[in-house]
Amino acid sequence: MSAVKIYVPCDSAALSVGADRVAKAIAREAEQRGIAVEIVRNGTRGMLWLEPLVEVETAGGRVAYGPVRPADVASLFDVGFLAGAEHPLGHGLTTEIPYFKQQERLTFERCGVIDPLSLDDYRAHGGLAGLEKALAVSPAEIVDTVIASGLRGRGGAGFPTGIKWKTVLGVASDQKYVTCNADEGDSGTFADRMLMEGDPFTLIEGMIIAGLAVGADTGFIYLRSEYPHAHRTLLKAIEIAEEDGLLGKSVLGSKRAFNLHVRLGAGSYVCGEETAMLESIEGKRGVVRAKPPIPAFKGLFGKPTAANNVMSLATIPWIMAHGGPAYAAFGMGRSLGTLTIQLAGNIKRGGLIEKAFGVTLREIIETYGGGTLSGRPFKAVQVGGPLGAYFPESLLDTPMDYEAMAKAKGLLGHGGMVVFDDRVDLANQARFAFQFCAEESCGKCTPCRIGATRGVEIMDTIIAGEDSSKTFQMLDDLCDLMTDASLCAMGGLTPVPVMSALTHFPDDFRKVPEPMRRAAE
Amino acid sequence: MPAYRPWNAETASAIINELKSMPGATLPIFHALQNEFGFVHPDIIPEIADALNISRAEVHGTLTFYHDFRTELPGRRILKICRAEACQSVGCEDIVSHLEAAHRISMGTTTDDRRLTVETIYCLGNCALGPSIMLDGEVIGRADTDLIDDICHSRRNERIGAEA
């Protein structure tokens, strides 16, 4: 009998709850029982509350068990989990788990399925099909395919990726660059990390295609230093890709070259802003540049640069392989394709959910998430990272697409959702938004640098109960100013969490309604 | 657990020489120095400026801009506690208050015995399994005060690897 394949994720979320110990326990137990097993360290499927999620390959498909602790391993062997037998931790076939089954996995089609560092596995699961097509057509045709897909930048701004590429393609230059923004600093987001750890070749393939499309032979991945595991995986993947002729002088034997480098950030949130990121790659302080010129004309080292997010680039291989219209068939309105939602915070079933645009916040929190982790009543969800809005229960039927979120005075950002139970105080959260902005501001523009600190002071006054209509007027004015006059989204969007908290949760601000205040005065 | 070598100007020069031809070498040099010695000694700034043909002010400015880079030797273990929104929602601030109340360790400090440095970090990308901490570069999810006690007392705990 050949060895049974057992999958134990090596994603850092799984590792953070003991996946390595579980893998060791399985190997030890199998050896003691004299059973031949092959342990594959895959990425995560994204059902993070089930981590460490152990899967066993059976004739009928992969059967899931989780969350597995080292102490559970003996009993798994006892019941015969190697044949997919039932166990209190068992969930049946992985692909039949409703959380997973109801998703539309395009960007993440291979993540959690394959060995992240096996190019053979990657090829066997449809990898490189997009690149092969891209090598057979002209740069303009690649750009047209991406435009037809309707793909919009997944970093948060939502600018059409194809249009950006068309601009870079149209600029004549002896040197152009592709940069990948992997400075995933938003709290509540982990899609980039999950993909880089679980299916790094998809990102590499996407970057090569971007290089072919815009005429760049060099790419940089700017990775945040908080992701050491993703760093190791990327470096290893690039080494393998170079050995295999995927990267280097001749991409897959063609006449096109593409070299890829990884640069580590150093704990600065604002370096997720594309021009600050370019400065940081150049070895400088991560200070935002004034635009124009946009990076497409004058980007990294002053050269035309296609600057894209991990998710945008990692979606390109699927689009090239299946065609623009196939991707555009998902989604709604002007938000086409799929969104990788990251459900996090105080939530029972947190994880990554890739769905076509248009799913409501309620469906994600209630149907997928199963309510709060604490079991206490839901109070608020912050959508789109630290610069996103806090929504109350009454707005949970808002669909997740760029326009609908903007209409609700929020933003989609990088697709993160952080759920809070009834113990959260939204005035404190508003204060934190200013405090975070003060700590992370690059300092170039006054509204952000000074405004954030003034914001903390105003919030302190409000929280201390020194309530006067003037304080709230000042808060309003400050938010208007920061919105209108900041150089980038850091200062420009900090008012979003603040004002949404104030609008939807006025009680937390101990705000006395206007008529009562007048009577009191 | 990181075992840093004592600061050595010759080794530092060798690191700078090896990396100086990279495009945008400043951050890679800082990272390499910090990996080796645990910090970047400010005395090395003129040499980096020379090697990269930029001003000392630019090197100093870059070194001090980023939260990651230290200019002093940290403790033997480095504990980073995530205090961003997702971890706030599951009580990371309770861990911070516990550190102060039970162990008299404030964020951003090193203990007098140099055993532990505690820092704030904003997001480890483990937001569905918070509160998250990072101990010597390893992310640990679902952290609680018991785990923090074990770290502070250097007690054996399978979740935190080898004891100090």
Side-chain angles (χ1 to χ4, degrees):
Chain A
M1 190 182 128
S2 64
V4 182
K5 255 192 191 171
I6 302 176
Y7 294 83
V8 186
C10 64
D11 173 274
S12 53
L15 297 178
S16 85
V17 285
D20 268 349
R21 292 193 303 278
V22 171
K24 270 186 206 143
I26 291 173
R28 202 183 312 122
E29 192 72 29
E31 201 188 325
Q32 276 170 11
R33 295 179 188 232
I35 303 169
V37 297
E38 182 193 345
I39 297 175
V40 179
R41 303 305 298 270
N42 56 333
T44 175
R45 298 274 194 162
M47 295 179 279
L48 296 175
W49 80 99
L50 293 179
E51 292 294 355
L53 180 81
V54 174
E55 291 176 89
V56 178
E57 194 162 84
T58 70
R62 277 155 71 162
V63 180
Y65 301 87
V68 177
R69 290 164 304 144
D72 301 319
V73 169
S75 77
L76 284 169
F77 274 91
D78 287 342
V79 301
F81 85 127
L82 292 179
E86 279 181 34
H87 184 275
L89 294 175
H91 303 281
L93 292 172
T94 313
T95 48
E96 292 298 314
I97 298 174
Y99 196 95
F100 192 79
K101 195 182 181 183
Q102 289 159 18
Q103 299 190 29
E104 284 122 15
R105 290 229 168 171
L106 311 181
T107 310
F108 279 83
E109 62 178 343
R110 280 176 296 266
C111 189
V113 178
I114 62 168
D115 173 347
L117 292 173
S118 162
L119 255 181
D120 291 339
D121 237 9
Y122 183 68
R123 280 204 180 88
H125 287 82
L128 301 185
L131 178 59
E132 276 156 11
K133 278 201 183 161
L135 281 167
V137 300
S138 71
E141 283 173 277
I142 302 175
V143 169
D144 287 342
T145 304
V146 176
I147 291 177
S149 75
L151 177 68
R152 294 169 68 174
R154 296 287 188 260
F159 188 82
T161 306
I163 304 290
K164 191 184 273 185
W165 288 11
K166 194 173 183 164
T167 312
V168 182
L169 174 62
V171 186
S173 174
D174 56 337
Q175 175 74 59
K176 295 180 190 175
Y177 294 107
V178 174
T179 60
C180 168
N181 187 339
D183 194 46
E184 184 176 48
D186 289 359
S187 174
T189 64
F190 44 82
D192 296 352
R193 180 189 58 67
M194 209 176 117
L195 185 111
M196 291 184 287
E197 293 178 355
D199 190 14
F201 292 123
T202 297
L203 175 60
I204 294 173
E205 184 182 349
M207 287 192 73
I208 301 171
I209 296 171
L212 296 174
V214 304
D217 66 355
T218 305
F220 285 90
I221 298 173
Y222 185 77
L223 178 71
R224 64 199 301 259
S225 61
E226 290 85 347
Y227 288 176
H229 190 72
H231 187 219
R232 286 191 288 272
T233 309
L234 276 179
L235 291 182
K236 190 81 194 133
I238 289 172
E239 195 186 315
I240 293 168
E242 283 168 349
E243 280 167 13
D244 204 78
L246 184 56
L247 288 170
K249 272 187 230 161
S250 160
V251 171
L252 292 182
S254 70
K255 286 181 180 154
R256 306 294 300 270
F258 197 77
N259 292 299
L260 189 52
H261 309 282
V262 180
R263 282 288 192 280
L264 267 190
S268 159
Y269 177 75
V270 78
C271 286
E273 197 282 337
E274 64 176 1
T275 61
M277 176 192 78
L278 298 175
E279 290 285 306
S280 189
I281 298 175
E282 291 181 11
K284 301 173 188 157
R285 291 163 69 90
V287 174
V288 173
R289 295 178 185 170
K291 287 191 269 191
I294 55 169
F297 292 112
K298 203 168 176 238
L300 188 63
F301 300 112
K303 301 293 182 185
T305 301
N308 294 109
N309 179 258
V310 175
M311 284 297 105
S312 316
L313 288 163
T315 304
I316 296 293
W318 195 95
I319 292 171
M320 284 310 296
H322 299 84
Y327 190 72
F330 294 91
M332 63 185 268
R334 295 203 290 125
S335 302
L336 299 177
T338 56
L339 173 67
T340 45
I341 299 155
Q342 298 124 82
L343 183 56
N346 197 323
I347 189 83
K348 209 171 275 167
R349 296 192 294 262
L352 181 128
I353 302 154
E354 184 174 356
K355 286 284 280 179
F357 281 96
V359 59
T360 65
L361 297 174
R362 188 182 304 283
E363 191 180 344
I364 296 296
I365 294 170
E366 291 174 5
T367 313
Y368 284 87
T372 61
L373 177 69
S374 60
R376 298 176 66 99
F378 165 92
K379 182 164 173 182
V381 58
Q382 188 180 27
V383 183
L387 306 174
Y390 287 96
F391 291 114
E393 209 277 336
S394 60
L395 284 176
L396 288 189
D397 294 312
T398 310
M400 295 188 80
D401 80 79
Y402 293 107
E403 279 70 33
M405 291 306 289
K407 216 173 131 197
K409 291 199 162 76
L411 48 100
L412 215 44
H414 191 50
M417 292 173 68
V418 176
V419 174
F420 291 84
D421 70 15
D422 61 345
R423 288 171 296 183
V424 69
D425 178 340
L426 273 298
N428 279 333
Q429 297 309 114
R431 184 190 186 280
F432 176 75
F434 280 125
Q435 181 203 330
F436 185 69
C437 182
E439 279 178 44
E440 299 298 330
S441 172
C442 81
K444 179 158 179 166
C445 73
T446 316
C448 177
R449 184 182 69 247
I450 311 277
T453 300
R454 289 293 98 87
V456 173
E457 291 163 6
I458 294 174
M459 283 314 304
D460 280 340
T461 315
I462 290 173
I463 290 166
E466 295 162 28
D467 177 18
S468 81
S469 60
K470 268 188 189 161
T471 319
F472 284 99
Q473 185 56 49
M474 216 150 51
L475 183 64
D476 250 10
D477 287 352
L478 178 68
C479 284
D480 276 350
L481 178 89
M482 288 179 74
T483 305
D484 295 339
S486 296
L487 197 52
C488 80
M490 176 92 239
L493 295 178
T494 291
V496 174
V498 174
M499 291 317 282
S500 62
L502 180 59
T503 308
H504 303 307
F505 307 92
D507 292 352
D508 284 1
F509 288 72
R510 298 161 193 90
K511 192 173 181 180
V512 186
E514 206 57 33
M516 283 173 67
R517 186 187 295 127
R518 250 183 254 130
E521 282 166 2
Chain B
M1 197 181 312
Y4 299 121
R5 294 202 200 162
W7 181 265
N8 176 303
E10 264 174 50
T11 316
S13 299
I15 288 173
I16 295 168
N17 270 321
E18 195 193 317
L19 298 174
K20 69 178 180 188
S21 57
M22 280 173 96
T26 328
L27 269 72
I29 288 174
F30 291 155
H31 275 302
L33 291 172
Q34 189 153 304
N35 279 343
E36 185 78 15
F37 305 114
F39 71 112
V40 180
H41 201 301
D43 286 356
I44 202 76
I45 288 175
E47 194 177 331
I48 297 174
D50 239 21
L52 302 181
N53 198 22
I54 55 179
S55 72
R56 294 176 189 192
E58 282 170 294
V59 180
H60 171 83
T62 306
L63 180 63
T64 50
F65 179 86
Y66 295 94
H67 299 305
D68 274 6
F69 300 129
R70 290 185 207 93
T71 49
E72 278 172 20
L73 186 68
R76 287 196 295 282
R77 301 202 93 171
I78 298 171
L79 172 65
K80 299 186 181 190
I81 298 177
C82 175
R83 298 174 75 187
E85 290 89 341
C87 285
Q88 289 169 11
S89 77
V90 283
C92 67
E93 290 305 313
D94 296 345
I95 290 179
V96 172
S97 340
H98 178 79
L99 260 174
E100 303 236 3
H103 303 281
R104 296 203 196 94
I105 302 175
S106 332
M107 299 303 294
T109 64
T110 299
T111 55
D112 290 339
D113 58 10
R114 306 210 65 79
R115 219 175 47 196
L116 190 67
T117 291
V118 185
E119 294 175 347
T120 293
I121 196 166
Y122 290 114
C123 199
L124 292 161
N126 195 32
C127 316
L129 295 172
S132 298
I133 62 171
M134 183 183 249
L135 184 66
D136 297 335
E138 293 300 321
V139 180
I140 305 171
R142 297 284 188 237
D144 53 24
T145 49
D146 288 348
L147 181 73
I148 296 296
D149 290 344
D150 285 351
I151 293 171
C152 291
H153 293 304
S154 304
R155 281 199 291 254
R156 192 171 279 282
N157 179 322
E158 60 165 12
R159 301 192 68 198
I160 54 179
E163 63 192 312

